[in-house]
Amino acid sequence: MKKIAEKFLALALRGKLVGILFFLGVSTTAWAAIPIQQWTTQNGTKVLFVETHAIPVIDINVNFDAGSRRDPAAKSGLAGLTNASLDKGIRDAGGAIISEAKILDTFADVGAVRSNSVDMDKAGYSLRVLSGQEQSDRAIGLLSDLLAKPSFPAELLNRDKARLVASIREEETRPESIAARAFKKNIYPSHPYGVSATPETVNSISRDDLVSFHQNHYVANRAVITIVGDTDLNGAKKIANRISEKLAVAKNDLPVMPEVKTSVAKTDSIPHPATQAHILMGMPSVKRGDPDFFALTVGNYILGGGGFSSRLMQEVREKRGLTYGVYSSFSPMIQKGPFLIGLQTEKKQADAALKVVNSTLDNFLKNGPTQAELKAAKDHLVNSFAMKMDNNRKILDLVSMIGYYRLPIDYLDTWTDKVKKVTIKDVQKAFHQKVIENELVTVVVGNQK
């Protein structure tokens, strides 16, 4: 316990030092370099490892190509239910079932923290355990079993389906959720990215569907394991092998996803009794790993990603008082992820707010940023970059992204240099290629008209 306390004290002192350096204006960019080690296990699992002994903790994440884009058309919600059911029961080596209660109690008894996640591209499971402890081995063994041998108890599936249906029905009443669903459907009309789960699709999902989805997608040669924390390379390899060796190996490739088609410019107005109009505007835009990413990142900070300093905030809120907040973003994915502008405003001001948003975007596309805007954006992005990696969980998320999307292993080491090199012409060129005004879709939920 004394050693653990000393490690936590060291981490706290380091955190204070980082804060002091920022306060004094001393650059902490050098702290950003993270040595990532990578290899592939015998059965084809990609592994990334960052060794850090700041705290006596090991963070593990395992991602699979099992996101919602893999849902069968008539069973949207299957990916999410499968992922949520991994820790509802495990079939042990003797065929006996380890219950949900036993699984959760075991994690709690050893002080482990676990979480699961699903997005459109991927599904994963994460675990945080103390390092060098017998209890940690129990938690890691349990993680490997629930990924490889979930029992998918039918009664708990029915419970989770009922909860999901209730959640969807609630979302169908909220203007922000209605807008998000309509926006996806409009910009991805013929692609799985545009599909949302409904009560009907969820109710059609059976236990056999979960078993089949798990067999097809939770496999070793399509998994990416990320390990960050207080162990050495040999320890990380033991953890990765322990997880990977229990997973099945797929012999066939997954079906190729359809191409994301060009969106057709339109405005979708949806009635709603809310006092505010919820507005989303955008289009399919950029893939993960696109060389324009850094120019888009700098440009987006200026356009709508920089909070009160952004053009959209200045034009729509500060000068005209048409909204409390407006933002823009790019969300790269395996295939073209969306460019998005979002805001809320009073119903009677929706048309006026949209007019200002469109004119601000048009001006930015035509003229690009000023030199002062470019410098301020790059300075902020570079100087704040170290804060993206100031704890193990953030490092785990970043390295997991690098592994899953097959980004260069030096991605974090070169990030600030690539931002610094962005020019006004780079921003203009990237935006002209990735944001096409006559392809922008607008969704307005609650328009007064």
Side-chain angles (χ1 to χ4, degrees):
M1 289 300 295
K2 182 179 178 181
K3 289 184 178 180
I4 292 176
E6 289 174 349
K7 287 187 177 182
F8 274 113
L9 177 61
L11 178 68
L13 292 174
R14 178 183 172 188
K16 289 181 181 178
L17 177 59
V18 173
I20 291 169
L21 291 173
F22 270 109
F23 180 76
L24 295 176
V26 178
S27 173
T28 58
T29 304
W31 292 56
I34 293 180
I36 302 173
Q37 302 178 72
Q38 65 174 343
W39 65 92
T40 302
T41 67
Q42 189 171 8
N43 57 357
T45 301
K46 184 175 182 178
V47 186
L48 292 88
F49 169 54
V50 174
E51 182 175 351
T52 170
H53 303 284
I55 56 175
V57 164
I58 300 172
D59 284 287
I60 305 166
N61 183 76
V62 189
N63 277 326
F64 299 89
D65 187 352
S68 62
R69 72 190 185 121
R70 294 296 181 184
D71 281 343
K75 295 183 182 292
S76 184
L78 177 57
L81 281 171
T82 303
N83 184 261
S85 298
L86 292 173
D87 51 19
K88 298 298 187 292
I90 298 171
R91 190 176 299 279
D92 67 17
I97 300 297
I98 303 174
S99 69
E100 177 188 32
K102 179 65 175 177
I103 294 168
L104 299 184
D105 285 346
T106 301
F107 280 136
D109 288 345
V110 300
V113 179
R114 90 284 182 272
S115 62
N116 59 315
S117 62
V118 181
D119 60 31
M120 288 191 279
D121 280 342
K122 63 187 181 301
Y125 205 97
S126 297
L127 182 70
R128 163 168 279 204
V129 295
L130 289 171
S131 59
Q133 306 290 320
E134 180 182 345
Q135 294 91 331
S136 303
D137 292 337
R138 289 175 60 195
I140 293 169
L142 196 59
L143 170 65
S144 65
D145 285 339
L146 69 85
L147 291 176
K149 299 181 292 185
S151 62
F152 298 123
E155 66 278 9
L156 297 187
L157 171 60
N158 291 332
R159 179 197 68 185
D160 289 347
K161 285 168 60 176
R163 289 175 176 175
L164 180 54
V165 167
S167 176
I168 292 170
R169 293 198 189 283
E170 181 185 355
E171 287 182 355
E172 290 174 342
T173 68
R174 300 203 308 258
E176 62 272 22
S177 299
I178 294 170
R181 284 170 168 256
F183 181 73
K184 280 204 315 176
K185 184 177 179 180
N186 277 291
I187 67 170
Y188 299 113
S190 57
H191 192 278
Y193 279 164
V195 180
S196 299
T198 67
E200 293 74 23
T201 62
V202 171
N203 282 326
S204 73
I205 295 170
S206 67
R207 180 185 178 278
D208 288 343
D209 293 323
L210 268 64
V211 171
S212 177
F213 190 89
H214 177 266
Q215 289 176 344
N216 288 332
H217 298 282
Y218 285 79
V219 294
N221 48 333
R222 287 198 281 268
V224 178
I225 299 174
T226 306
I227 303 169
V228 174
D230 186 29
T231 187
D232 57 16
L233 180 60
N234 185 52
K237 286 186 174 181
K238 288 181 179 178
I239 292 171
N241 288 338
R242 192 171 183 185
I243 296 170
S244 176
E245 66 187 6
K246 291 187 179 181
L247 295 169
V249 176
K251 297 180 181 179
N252 301 317
D253 292 333
L254 290 173
V256 176
M257 289 284 103
E259 287 296 318
V260 173
K261 295 181 180 179
T262 300
S263 56
V264 178
K266 61 183 291 189
T267 297
D268 187 3
S269 294
I270 303 171
H272 195 278
T275 57
Q276 295 271 308
H278 293 248
I279 301 172
L280 297 177
M281 173 192 296
M283 61 177 287
S285 179
V286 59
K287 297 179 182 180
R288 182 65 69 178
D290 190 298
D292 286 332
F293 172 79
F294 293 95
L296 294 172
T297 298
V298 174
N300 182 69
Y301 183 88
I302 298 165
L303 175 64
F308 284 98
S309 66
S310 70
R311 283 200 188 181
L312 284 170
M313 189 72 90
Q314 288 296 315
E315 295 297 328
V316 185
R317 171 177 166 150
E318 296 301 305
K319 292 183 180 179
R320 297 170 177 85
L322 294 172
T323 183
Y324 283 112
V326 57
Y327 64 91
S328 65
S329 65
F330 289 92
S331 300
M333 298 193 295
I334 287 180
Q335 294 175 269
K336 287 184 179 180
F339 164 71
L340 173 67
I341 295 175
L343 71 151
Q344 297 176 34
T345 186
E346 290 185 35
K347 287 183 177 181
K348 63 182 180 181
Q349 298 178 150
D351 290 338
L354 266 173
K355 184 176 181 180
V356 177
V357 167
N358 280 308
S359 64
T360 303
L361 177 61
D362 182 67
N363 179 270
F364 189 78
L365 291 174
K366 286 180 178 177
N367 302 311
T370 66
Q371 194 62 49
E373 287 175 325
L374 185 76
K375 182 180 185 305
K378 294 199 293 185
D379 286 349
H380 172 84
L381 292 168
V382 169
N383 292 333
S384 65
F385 185 64
M387 301 303 292
K388 296 180 182 292
M389 298 174 290
D390 60 2
N391 63 52
N392 281 21
R393 181 68 216 195
K394 291 181 182 179
I395 295 172
L396 183 76
D397 291 343
L398 285 170
V399 178
S400 295
M401 177 195 70
I402 290 170
Y404 186 79
Y405 288 105
R406 304 298 195 262
L407 299 177
I409 202 68
D410 64 349
Y411 178 81
L412 297 177
D413 297 330
T414 61
W415 199 94
T416 55
D417 286 339
K418 289 181 178 179
V419 168
K420 290 176 183 178
K421 292 177 182 179
V422 172
T423 66
I424 290 176
K425 288 185 177 180
D426 292 334
V427 173
Q428 288 179 299
K429 179 182 176 182
F431 267 76
H432 284 157
Q433 292 178 345
K434 300 299 190 300
V435 181
I436 315 299
E437 286 184 284
N438 62 7
E439 295 178 11
L440 292 173
V441 170
T442 303
V443 172
V444 183
V445 176
N447 195 328
Q448 192 172 37
K449 292 182 179 180

